[in-house]
Short mmCIF file of all heavy atoms in Angstrom, two decimals:
data_model
loop_
_atom_site.label_atom_id
_atom_site.label_comp_id
_atom_site.label_asym_id
_atom_site.label_seq_id
_atom_site.Cartn_x
_atom_site.Cartn_y
_atom_site.Cartn_z
N ASP A 293 -18.48 10.75 -8.23
CA ASP A 293 -17.33 11.25 -9.09
C ASP A 293 -16.20 11.81 -8.19
O ASP A 293 -15.04 11.67 -8.50
CB ASP A 293 -17.81 12.13 -10.10
CG ASP A 293 -18.60 11.46 -11.16
OD1 ASP A 293 -18.56 10.26 -11.43
OD2 ASP A 293 -19.32 12.12 -12.03
N HIS A 294 -16.70 12.72 -7.34
CA HIS A 294 -15.79 13.28 -6.38
C HIS A 294 -15.02 12.28 -5.54
O HIS A 294 -13.76 12.34 -5.33
CB HIS A 294 -16.49 14.39 -5.54
CG HIS A 294 -16.74 15.67 -6.12
ND1 HIS A 294 -17.81 15.97 -6.83
CD2 HIS A 294 -15.86 16.83 -6.29
CE1 HIS A 294 -17.82 17.15 -7.26
NE2 HIS A 294 -16.62 17.72 -6.97
N MET A 295 -15.75 11.19 -5.05
CA MET A 295 -15.10 10.23 -4.21
C MET A 295 -14.07 9.48 -5.11
O MET A 295 -12.95 9.14 -4.69
CB MET A 295 -16.07 9.27 -3.77
CG MET A 295 -17.09 9.91 -2.71
SD MET A 295 -18.46 8.78 -2.23
CE MET A 295 -17.52 7.44 -1.63
N GLN A 296 -14.46 9.20 -6.28
CA GLN A 296 -13.52 8.45 -7.26
C GLN A 296 -12.31 9.31 -7.55
O GLN A 296 -11.08 8.82 -7.55
CB GLN A 296 -14.15 7.99 -8.55
CG GLN A 296 -13.36 7.17 -9.45
CD GLN A 296 -12.91 5.89 -8.89
OE1 GLN A 296 -13.65 5.41 -8.06
NE2 GLN A 296 -11.80 5.34 -9.35
N SER A 297 -12.44 10.60 -7.75
CA SER A 297 -11.30 11.51 -8.00
C SER A 297 -10.47 11.55 -6.68
O SER A 297 -9.13 11.55 -6.94
CB SER A 297 -11.84 12.86 -8.35
OG SER A 297 -12.53 12.85 -9.55
N ALA A 298 -11.01 11.63 -5.61
CA ALA A 298 -10.20 11.63 -4.37
C ALA A 298 -9.34 10.38 -4.16
O ALA A 298 -8.21 10.42 -3.74
CB ALA A 298 -11.15 11.86 -3.16
N VAL A 299 -9.94 9.21 -4.41
CA VAL A 299 -9.18 7.95 -4.40
C VAL A 299 -8.01 7.98 -5.37
O VAL A 299 -6.95 7.61 -5.01
CB VAL A 299 -10.10 6.75 -4.59
CG1 VAL A 299 -9.41 5.52 -4.78
CG2 VAL A 299 -11.23 6.66 -3.43
N GLU A 300 -8.31 8.44 -6.57
CA GLU A 300 -7.24 8.45 -7.61
C GLU A 300 -6.18 9.40 -7.38
O GLU A 300 -4.92 9.11 -7.55
CB GLU A 300 -7.87 8.67 -8.98
CG GLU A 300 -8.72 7.66 -9.51
CD GLU A 300 -9.42 7.98 -10.80
OE1 GLU A 300 -9.20 9.19 -11.28
OE2 GLU A 300 -10.09 7.16 -11.48
N THR A 301 -6.49 10.41 -6.67
CA THR A 301 -5.55 11.50 -6.33
C THR A 301 -4.62 10.98 -5.09
O THR A 301 -3.45 11.15 -5.10
CB THR A 301 -6.25 12.84 -5.80
OG1 THR A 301 -7.08 13.24 -6.87
CG2 THR A 301 -5.15 13.81 -5.40
N ALA A 302 -5.31 10.16 -4.19
CA ALA A 302 -4.51 9.73 -2.90
C ALA A 302 -3.70 8.61 -3.34
O ALA A 302 -2.65 8.42 -2.84
CB ALA A 302 -5.59 9.44 -1.91
N ALA A 303 -4.26 7.70 -4.19
CA ALA A 303 -3.53 6.35 -4.39
C ALA A 303 -3.36 5.99 -5.85
O ALA A 303 -2.79 4.94 -6.13
CB ALA A 303 -4.26 5.25 -3.68
N GLY A 304 -3.77 6.91 -6.61
CA GLY A 304 -3.74 6.54 -8.08
C GLY A 304 -2.34 6.22 -8.68
O GLY A 304 -2.13 5.39 -9.65
N SER A 305 -1.27 6.96 -8.05
CA SER A 305 0.07 6.76 -8.60
C SER A 305 0.91 5.71 -7.91
O SER A 305 2.06 5.40 -8.24
CB SER A 305 0.85 8.10 -8.64
OG SER A 305 0.92 8.53 -7.15
N ILE A 306 0.35 5.07 -6.92
CA ILE A 306 1.08 4.10 -5.94
C ILE A 306 0.97 2.62 -6.69
O ILE A 306 -0.16 2.18 -6.92
CB ILE A 306 0.48 4.01 -4.61
CG1 ILE A 306 0.57 5.42 -3.93
CG2 ILE A 306 1.23 3.00 -3.80
CD1 ILE A 306 0.04 5.45 -2.56
N SER A 307 2.08 2.16 -7.05
CA SER A 307 2.10 0.89 -7.67
C SER A 307 2.33 -0.27 -6.61
O SER A 307 2.70 0.05 -5.47
CB SER A 307 3.16 0.80 -8.71
OG SER A 307 4.48 0.86 -8.22
N LEU A 308 2.18 -1.52 -7.02
CA LEU A 308 2.44 -2.53 -6.01
C LEU A 308 3.97 -2.65 -5.59
O LEU A 308 4.25 -2.81 -4.51
CB LEU A 308 2.07 -3.84 -6.62
CG LEU A 308 0.52 -4.23 -6.77
CD1 LEU A 308 0.36 -5.64 -7.36
CD2 LEU A 308 -0.06 -4.23 -5.38
N ARG A 309 4.79 -2.28 -6.68
CA ARG A 309 6.28 -2.14 -6.21
C ARG A 309 6.49 -1.27 -5.19
O ARG A 309 7.31 -1.53 -4.28
CB ARG A 309 7.08 -2.01 -7.53
CG ARG A 309 8.59 -1.98 -7.34
CD ARG A 309 9.36 -1.62 -8.59
NE ARG A 309 9.22 -2.74 -9.53
CZ ARG A 309 10.03 -3.78 -9.71
NH1 ARG A 309 11.06 -3.89 -8.76
NH2 ARG A 309 9.85 -4.65 -10.58
N GLU A 310 5.91 -0.04 -5.31
CA GLU A 310 6.09 1.01 -4.38
C GLU A 310 5.55 0.59 -2.95
O GLU A 310 6.05 0.85 -1.90
CB GLU A 310 5.51 2.33 -4.80
CG GLU A 310 6.10 2.84 -6.01
CD GLU A 310 5.46 4.13 -6.59
OE1 GLU A 310 4.16 4.25 -6.26
OE2 GLU A 310 6.06 4.86 -7.21
N LEU A 311 4.35 -0.10 -3.07
CA LEU A 311 3.69 -0.59 -1.89
C LEU A 311 4.60 -1.53 -1.07
O LEU A 311 4.72 -1.49 0.18
CB LEU A 311 2.40 -1.26 -2.12
CG LEU A 311 1.36 -1.49 -1.09
CD1 LEU A 311 0.87 0.01 -0.55
CD2 LEU A 311 0.20 -2.32 -1.53
N VAL A 312 5.25 -2.47 -1.81
CA VAL A 312 6.17 -3.45 -1.15
C VAL A 312 7.40 -2.77 -0.72
O VAL A 312 7.95 -3.00 0.43
CB VAL A 312 6.50 -4.58 -2.22
CG1 VAL A 312 7.65 -5.42 -1.63
CG2 VAL A 312 5.35 -5.34 -2.64
N SER A 313 7.87 -1.77 -1.39
CA SER A 313 9.18 -1.02 -1.03
C SER A 313 8.94 -0.23 0.29
O SER A 313 9.67 -0.16 1.16
CB SER A 313 9.61 -0.11 -2.23
OG SER A 313 9.92 -0.81 -3.29
N LYS A 314 7.70 0.36 0.32
CA LYS A 314 7.46 1.17 1.55
C LYS A 314 7.36 0.28 2.70
O LYS A 314 7.85 0.71 3.87
CB LYS A 314 6.14 1.90 1.36
CG LYS A 314 6.09 3.09 0.31
CD LYS A 314 4.74 3.78 0.21
CE LYS A 314 4.80 4.93 -0.64
NZ LYS A 314 3.58 5.55 -0.83
N ASN A 315 6.73 -0.93 2.70
CA ASN A 315 6.68 -1.76 3.78
C ASN A 315 8.06 -2.32 4.17
O ASN A 315 8.33 -2.44 5.39
CB ASN A 315 5.74 -2.93 3.50
CG ASN A 315 5.49 -3.78 4.69
OD1 ASN A 315 4.79 -3.31 5.61
ND2 ASN A 315 6.02 -4.95 4.70
N ASP A 316 8.91 -2.66 3.14
CA ASP A 316 10.19 -3.16 3.49
C ASP A 316 11.04 -2.04 4.09
O ASP A 316 11.87 -2.30 4.96
CB ASP A 316 10.95 -3.47 2.21
CG ASP A 316 10.23 -4.81 1.59
OD1 ASP A 316 9.51 -5.48 2.35
OD2 ASP A 316 10.53 -5.19 0.47
N ALA A 317 10.87 -0.75 3.75
CA ALA A 317 11.67 0.30 4.40
C ALA A 317 11.23 0.55 5.79
O ALA A 317 12.02 0.95 6.55
CB ALA A 317 11.46 1.61 3.46
N SER A 318 10.01 0.35 6.09
CA SER A 318 9.46 0.60 7.47
C SER A 318 9.61 -0.66 8.40
O SER A 318 9.41 -0.51 9.54
CB SER A 318 8.00 0.93 7.47
OG SER A 318 7.20 -0.04 6.87
N SER A 319 10.11 -1.72 7.87
CA SER A 319 10.32 -3.04 8.57
C SER A 319 11.81 -3.22 8.82
O SER A 319 12.57 -3.08 7.79
CB SER A 319 9.67 -4.19 7.94
OG SER A 319 9.95 -5.37 8.50
N ASP A 320 12.08 -3.64 10.01
CA ASP A 320 13.59 -4.02 10.32
C ASP A 320 13.96 -5.17 9.47
O ASP A 320 15.08 -5.21 9.06
CB ASP A 320 13.73 -4.09 11.75
CG ASP A 320 13.54 -2.93 12.54
OD1 ASP A 320 13.63 -1.75 11.87
OD2 ASP A 320 13.18 -2.97 13.68
N SER A 321 13.12 -6.26 9.38
CA SER A 321 13.57 -7.50 8.78
C SER A 321 13.39 -7.42 7.29
O SER A 321 14.12 -8.15 6.60
CB SER A 321 12.61 -8.66 9.27
OG SER A 321 11.29 -8.47 9.01
N GLY A 322 12.51 -6.55 6.80
CA GLY A 322 12.37 -6.52 5.43
C GLY A 322 11.62 -7.70 4.77
O GLY A 322 11.55 -7.81 3.58
N ALA A 323 11.12 -8.70 5.65
CA ALA A 323 10.40 -9.86 5.07
C ALA A 323 9.04 -9.43 4.67
O ALA A 323 8.32 -8.80 5.44
CB ALA A 323 10.57 -11.00 6.10
N PRO A 324 8.59 -10.00 3.51
CA PRO A 324 7.26 -9.77 3.07
C PRO A 324 6.30 -10.44 3.97
O PRO A 324 6.23 -11.62 3.84
CB PRO A 324 7.22 -10.24 1.69
CG PRO A 324 8.32 -11.21 1.51
CD PRO A 324 9.34 -10.82 2.47
N ALA A 325 5.49 -9.74 4.84
CA ALA A 325 4.62 -10.34 5.71
C ALA A 325 3.40 -9.59 5.90
O ALA A 325 3.53 -8.41 5.77
CB ALA A 325 5.31 -10.71 7.11
N ILE A 326 2.32 -10.14 6.33
CA ILE A 326 1.06 -9.45 6.48
C ILE A 326 0.67 -9.93 7.94
O ILE A 326 0.60 -11.09 8.26
CB ILE A 326 -0.04 -9.89 5.60
CG1 ILE A 326 0.45 -9.52 4.20
CG2 ILE A 326 -1.32 -9.19 5.82
CD1 ILE A 326 -0.59 -9.97 3.05
N PRO A 327 0.40 -8.92 8.91
CA PRO A 327 -0.12 -9.36 10.25
C PRO A 327 -1.28 -10.18 10.12
O PRO A 327 -2.34 -9.96 9.44
CB PRO A 327 -0.49 -8.02 10.83
CG PRO A 327 0.44 -6.95 10.09
CD PRO A 327 0.45 -7.52 8.71
N ARG A 328 -1.25 -11.33 10.83
CA ARG A 328 -2.37 -12.37 10.80
C ARG A 328 -3.55 -11.83 11.60
O ARG A 328 -3.46 -10.94 12.43
CB ARG A 328 -1.88 -13.59 11.39
CG ARG A 328 -0.91 -14.32 10.47
CD ARG A 328 -0.84 -15.73 10.84
NE ARG A 328 -2.13 -16.43 10.86
CZ ARG A 328 -2.22 -17.67 11.05
NH1 ARG A 328 -1.31 -18.46 11.49
NH2 ARG A 328 -3.43 -18.20 11.07
N GLN A 329 -4.75 -12.45 11.30
CA GLN A 329 -5.88 -12.18 11.98
C GLN A 329 -5.74 -12.63 13.37
O GLN A 329 -5.12 -13.64 13.74
CB GLN A 329 -7.04 -12.97 11.34
CG GLN A 329 -8.42 -12.86 12.06
CD GLN A 329 -9.51 -13.63 11.47
OE1 GLN A 329 -9.33 -14.15 10.35
NE2 GLN A 329 -10.50 -13.92 12.09
N THR A 330 -6.32 -11.91 14.38
CA THR A 330 -6.38 -12.22 15.67
C THR A 330 -7.07 -13.70 15.89
O THR A 330 -8.21 -13.89 15.39
CB THR A 330 -6.99 -11.25 16.65
OG1 THR A 330 -6.51 -10.02 16.44
CG2 THR A 330 -7.02 -11.65 18.09
#
């Protein structure tokens, strides 16, 4: 229960839209991309 509460506290309010926006803000190109597997 403590572990679940910690996860919800850390990431419970982060939506997918915010996840995309944060990556776009930290990327110069702004293109939606995921680093590929080596």
Side-chain angles (χ1 to χ4, degrees):
D293 290 340
H294 279 89
M295 291 174 60
Q296 182 64 27
S297 299
V299 171
E300 292 177 355
T301 301
S305 61
I306 302 176
S307 67
L308 284 181
R309 184 182 289 271
E310 292 173 339
L311 199 64
V312 173
S313 300
K314 287 182 179 180
N315 188 72
D316 290 346
S318 62
S319 175
D320 295 333
S321 62
I326 300 174
R328 288 196 59 180
Q329 175 185 346
T330 305

